[in-house]
Amino acid sequence: MPDQVLKTRLIAALLMSFSLSLLMSCWVTFINLGLTEAFVAQWMKAFQLAWPAAALIAFFLGPAVQKATAFLVQRLS
């Protein structure tokens, strides 16, 4: 795999997983705790646990998701 393609996949996976992990951990923490004094601390703890897993999942599933997306777009056209 060329370096540029790998670098692009890695950066895309990191950015997407960061965004999704940050927002989803905020949402789930809010649902579970509400706006308590512990909210931010618990949110950051959840985010720290979620981001590495999300980054690995995004990196390894990214190509399959892109293929599935292209297939679905072609079928829906």
Side-chain angles (χ1 to χ4, degrees):
M1 180 178 306
D3 286 344
Q4 191 66 22
V5 172
L6 183 59
K7 190 184 297 185
T8 300
R9 276 188 55 206
L10 181 59
I11 291 171
L14 289 173
L15 290 174
M16 183 59 75
S17 63
F18 176 86
S19 303
L20 286 171
S21 296
L22 186 70
L23 295 172
M24 290 302 298
S25 61
C26 178
W27 178 245
V28 172
T29 302
F30 174 74
I31 289 171
N32 287 328
L33 296 180
L35 285 177
T36 65
E37 291 181 16
F39 175 78
V40 174
Q42 290 298 315
W43 172 23
M44 289 297 105
K45 183 177 178 181
F47 170 68
Q48 288 174 349
L49 293 171
W51 189 19
L56 287 172
I57 292 165
F59 182 77
F60 288 109
L61 288 182
V65 169
Q66 288 176 336
K67 286 179 186 176
T69 301
F71 173 78
L72 291 171
V73 167
Q74 185 179 21
R75 294 283 301 213
L76 295 173
S77 297

